[in-house]
Amino acid sequence: MDSGQPTKQSVLHHPAYLHLAASRVLTALASQAVTIAVSWIIYDMTESAFALGFVGFCQFLPRFFLTLVVGHVADSFDRRMIVLICQLVQAAIAAMLAVAIFEQWITPTLIFVAVTLLGAVNAFQQPSTVALLPNVVPPSLLQQAVATSTSLQQAAFIIGPAAGGLLYGVHPTAPFVISAVLLLVGGVNVALIHVERRVVVREPVTIASVFAGVAFIRSRPVILGAISLDLFAVLLGGATALMPIFARDILHAGPWGLGFLRAAPAIGALGMALLLARRPLKTHVGRRMMVACAVFGVATIVFSLSTNIVLSIVCLAILGAADTISVVVRSSMVQLMTPDEMRGRVSAVNSLFIGTSNQLGEFESGVLAGFLGPVATGVIGGVGTLIVVLLWIRLFPELVRVKTLEG
């Protein structure tokens, strides 16, 4: 990056990128508002840690079964249209939930069905959006684009949960109505994206073509190590899925407290993303990723043991900052080392890893908390993360030896 020539070397001067970034921010705002409202409704209706975890499982399940299909779709069709259709469907689901709450025929079963549909839609949207980014900016700006996008999304992750909690306090339908509007506006931004038409070679759907993304990742230990480390670290450190329990029963805060707890990781992530956008990692990238994952585990342990909401928020902010280092390293590696005709399938597999760590991690934490309680669950997860880091140092020495994201 040549900071001395911002007019030539800044992603903020690429109109297509700005439309894509706006779409991603609006989608993130909407998804976070819906997530905070759904989690509060579910726990309010059931008072069950298992039910909270099951929300994550419902989102993960369609992603698991659709991963290989959506990757092939993202490589064979117009990625921009795929993202647009996904946003319109998400807006319709948010509107449906608003009507269900207003008419008072909302049930846990309906919520589980809705989040399963959202999971299916996101399975198509996420890899298509990620694969679209390199079509919007030149390779020389990709790392800056990843860091900038992360910054913008984390800002949305800060505002979204807090706004969702406040809107829910005004009226339970408000987060869903506002989310539907944001998704529609995001769709308009996607429609305004203009990119050079890709030369799409539609391969016949064969076992080899469908599993090409898996084969590509397996053949590159650095990428496999990076995304699997992130997978297990977040999978085990999923105590954040139990935030409604911590907010209400341990920290004695209401929906506003849950909103700020949800926003805290994003605050830390935003700060780190801004730092990385200004001062990108240039040396000892692999080693720093390992340290960041270890910090993630320690922060999870302290958060789980905390009975003070200020300390809890600080721990979650540190957790978010550490996770961002992993996100930027992994995302940059995947994009820079993958040819365009493979990006959809590779991004789909990467998306499965991300979805598994986040959503299946929520399910795991919910089930374990049902037996051991939220505090013990969080501590066990944090310790497990530290163990995984030590194992990955031995299993993937190539990752530890990575010096730079550019070579």
Side-chain angles (χ1 to χ4, degrees):
M1 276 182 262
D2 184 1
S3 57
Q5 299 182 23
T7 57
K8 294 182 179 179
Q9 296 295 323
S10 173
V11 294
L12 299 180
H13 290 83
H14 287 258
Y17 172 79
L18 293 177
H19 286 304
L20 179 61
S23 171
R24 297 183 72 173
V25 168
L26 292 169
T27 300
L29 284 169
S31 66
Q32 290 299 304
V34 168
T35 296
I36 200 76
V38 163
S39 63
W40 193 265
I41 290 173
I42 281 291
Y43 192 59
D44 216 26
M45 295 174 70
T46 66
E47 297 191 351
S48 167
F50 177 81
L52 280 174
F54 194 66
V55 170
F57 181 75
C58 288
Q59 291 177 297
F60 160 77
L61 202 60
R63 184 193 297 271
F64 177 79
F65 286 108
L66 292 173
T67 291
L68 301 178
V69 175
V70 302
H72 207 285
V73 170
D75 284 334
S76 301
F77 298 93
D78 186 341
R79 293 164 181 164
R80 188 175 63 93
M81 289 303 300
I82 295 171
V83 175
L84 175 58
I85 292 170
C86 288
Q87 288 183 311
L88 295 178
V89 173
Q90 287 175 301
I93 294 172
M96 180 271 294
L97 286 172
V99 172
I101 295 170
F102 185 77
E103 297 292 337
Q104 298 185 351
W105 40 268
I106 191 75
T107 64
T109 300
L110 179 61
I111 293 176
F112 293 142
V113 171
V115 296
T116 300
L117 292 174
L118 288 172
V121 173
N122 193 50
F124 283 91
Q125 181 176 355
Q126 189 167 346
S128 298
T129 303
V130 171
L132 181 61
L133 181 60
N135 301 138
V136 169
V137 298
S140 61
L141 293 178
L142 185 58
Q143 292 186 48
Q144 186 190 65
V146 170
T148 304
S149 294
T150 301
S151 301
L152 294 170
Q153 282 193 284
Q154 294 304 332
F157 291 160
I158 295 170
I159 299 170
L166 292 172
L167 287 169
Y168 188 86
V170 174
H171 195 279
T173 62
F176 301 99
V177 173
I178 298 300
S179 295
V181 173
L182 293 176
L183 288 163
L184 290 175
V185 177
V188 172
N189 275 275
V190 172
L192 293 174
I193 294 175
H194 295 288
V195 296
E196 292 185 16
R197 185 175 295 275
R198 294 168 55 228
V199 178
V200 178
V201 179
R202 294 184 182 173
E203 301 178 45
V205 181
T206 64
I207 296 296
S209 69
V210 168
F211 282 89
V214 177
F216 183 89
I217 291 174
R218 286 186 59 189
S219 68
R220 285 158 176 78
V222 170
I223 294 180
L224 178 61
I227 64 177
S228 59
L229 174 63
D230 186 77
L231 162 68
F232 286 104
V234 180
L235 176 64
L236 293 170
T240 52
L242 305 174
M243 282 186 190
I245 301 176
F246 281 99
R248 199 181 80 170
D249 299 340
I250 296 176
L251 301 173
H252 307 294
W256 67 270
L258 176 58
F260 283 112
L261 288 174
R262 283 279 190 182
I267 293 173
L270 174 61
M272 181 58 68
L274 290 172
L275 178 63
L276 293 178
R278 188 175 181 84
R279 301 182 63 181
L281 297 175
K282 294 182 178 180
T283 60
H284 305 297
V285 172
R287 189 183 306 170
R288 292 184 182 186
M289 183 179 183
M290 293 292 181
V291 172
C293 287
V295 172
F296 182 95
V298 172
T300 299
I301 294 172
V302 178
F303 165 76
S304 302
L305 295 172
S306 171
T307 57
N308 180 282
I309 191 167
V310 175
L311 176 60
S312 297
I313 290 173
V314 170
C315 289
L316 291 172
I318 294 173
L319 181 151
D323 187 50
T324 296
I325 295 176
S326 177
V327 169
V328 172
V329 171
R330 185 191 67 245
S331 299
S332 298
M333 283 182 180
V334 171
Q335 297 295 349
L336 292 170
M337 296 179 67
T338 306
D340 184 66
E341 65 273 12
M342 286 284 297
R343 282 197 179 109
R345 281 165 285 185
V346 172
S347 295
V349 176
N350 186 34
S351 177
L352 176 63
F353 275 73
I354 297 170
T356 298
S357 62
N358 290 323
Q359 294 155 3
L360 195 58
E362 292 178 6
F363 178 66
E364 174 267 333
S365 295
V367 172
L368 195 59
F371 292 102
L372 302 178
V375 175
T377 297
V379 172
I380 291 172
V383 172
T385 299
L386 296 177
I387 293 173
V388 166
V389 171
L390 295 176
L391 286 175
W392 257 237
I393 290 174
R394 295 186 62 87
L395 293 174
F396 296 96
E398 302 92 342
L399 177 60
V400 181
R401 290 194 293 266
V402 172
K403 299 296 184 182
T404 174
L405 293 174
E406 298 177 356

